[in-house]
Amino acid sequence: EAQVTQNPRYLITVTGKKLTVTCSQNMNHEYMSWYRQDPGLGLRQIYYSMNVEVTDKGDVPEGYKVSRKEKRNFPLILESPSPNQTSLYFCASSLLTGVNEQFFGPGTRLTVL
Amino acid sequence: QQQVKQSPQSLIVQKGGISIINCAYENTAFDYFPWYQQFPGKGPALLIAIRPDVSEKKEGRFTISFNKSAKQFSLHIMDSQPGDSATYFCAALASSGGYQKVTFGIGTKLQVIP
């Protein structure tokens, strides 16, 4: 089954404790992206990647890091989480050509205390 | 700075009625305008999309109307059903050379009441 998986689905942590949210897709998509969803603000792009070793900032990259060492994986790293990073995070992937359809993962609900 | 402005934020429509959600953009480099549908507890899923070389695109009960000169586009849901109750996001991106940044609207929570 074609899908985007994220882990963990739910995470409660404390300020300053480094964490990684993993994202993996099995569709051989070149493009991958991370978004955060907050009430009243919609979906905002954090980082995106056009291919392996190619990443770039979205609209809200501060406090986040990403890496793309393999085509299928695109982890989101919070080196020192803060309470304002409490949010619902989505990973998405798509092809770079043809129909521009992003496939979203199920989301990760992160709470930073 | 909100590059894609979406309204209304919430919408209540009776079953069988027409739901209309509007979006406006500023960046003339945008050349692809998708709409995503999100049910509670799920990730968004592509519903329908349009490029600015056409003024309208219809798929079943869902229609996008696009006004390039006004830099506006809208989603119309005909014969709205309770199963359409979800949050809808418009989006815009500049896809030349492969797509890069994607900008979403803030979302519209649609409730279709029986």
Side-chain angles (χ1 to χ4, degrees):
Chain A
E1 179 190 356
Q3 59 182 350
V4 177
T5 56
Q6 294 179 228
N7 282 292
R9 295 288 314 279
Y10 302 90
L11 179 60
I12 301 175
T13 189
V14 295
T15 299
K17 186 176 181 181
K18 181 179 179 180
L19 67 93
T20 299
V21 183
T22 64
C23 173
S24 183
Q25 51 95 3
N26 62 1
M27 295 168 280
N28 202 34
H29 287 165
E30 299 93 350
Y31 186 93
M32 297 187 75
S33 182
W34 276 102
Y35 300 88
R36 60 178 290 174
Q37 183 174 8
D38 302 287
L41 296 175
L43 286 158
R44 293 180 293 168
Q45 192 172 40
I46 303 170
Y47 270 95
Y48 62 91
S49 170
M50 305 272 283
N51 215 323
V52 175
E53 302 293 0
V54 181
T55 63
D56 209 344
K57 297 176 181 178
D59 290 322
V60 289
E62 295 77 21
Y64 305 95
K65 285 176 60 176
V66 293
S67 69
R68 187 93 181 271
K69 294 182 173 15
E70 304 167 283
K71 196 172 186 179
R72 63 182 293 128
N73 296 323
F74 191 45
L76 179 69
I77 303 156
L78 285 72
E79 298 250 344
S80 183
S82 62
N84 64 13
Q85 292 178 299
T86 293
S87 187
L88 178 59
Y89 291 86
F90 287 101
C91 179
S93 73
S94 65
L95 292 170
L96 269 180
T97 57
V99 174
N100 182 326
E101 176 177 4
Q102 291 200 58
F103 291 84
F104 283 79
T108 295
R109 174 75 66 183
L110 172 65
T111 301
V112 183
L113 301 174
Chain B
Q1 180 189 2
Q2 191 179 355
Q3 290 197 54
V4 178
K5 295 183 179 179
Q6 183 173 348
S7 63
Q9 288 195 45
S10 64
L11 181 61
I12 299 175
V13 173
Q14 283 218 302
K15 179 181 175 181
I18 303 173
S19 304
I20 302 174
I21 303 170
N22 301 299
C23 285
Y25 64 97
E26 293 293 329
N27 188 347
T28 55
F30 289 147
D31 60 1
Y32 186 75
F33 302 90
W35 285 88
Y36 282 80
Q37 179 188 55
Q38 183 183 31
F39 292 105
K42 303 290 186 183
L46 181 67
L47 184 64
I48 187 172
I50 196 168
R51 295 195 183 274
D53 52 346
V54 296
S55 60
E56 186 175 282
K57 183 174 182 179
K58 185 176 181 180
E59 290 184 3
R61 296 184 293 109
F62 300 91
T63 299
I64 300 179
S65 297
F66 188 86
N67 186 329
K68 189 174 181 178
S69 61
K71 290 186 284 186
Q72 294 175 347
F73 58 110
S74 59
L75 176 69
H76 296 234
I77 306 174
M78 313 299 287
D79 187 27
S80 299
Q81 299 296 313
D84 297 329
S85 296
T87 299
Y88 293 82
F89 293 95
C90 62
L93 64 158
S95 62
S96 57
Y99 32 95
Q100 301 168 9
K101 281 189 182 182
V102 181
T103 302
F104 282 83
I106 63 172
T108 297
K109 187 171 184 179
L110 170 65
Q111 184 181 359
V112 181
I113 54 177

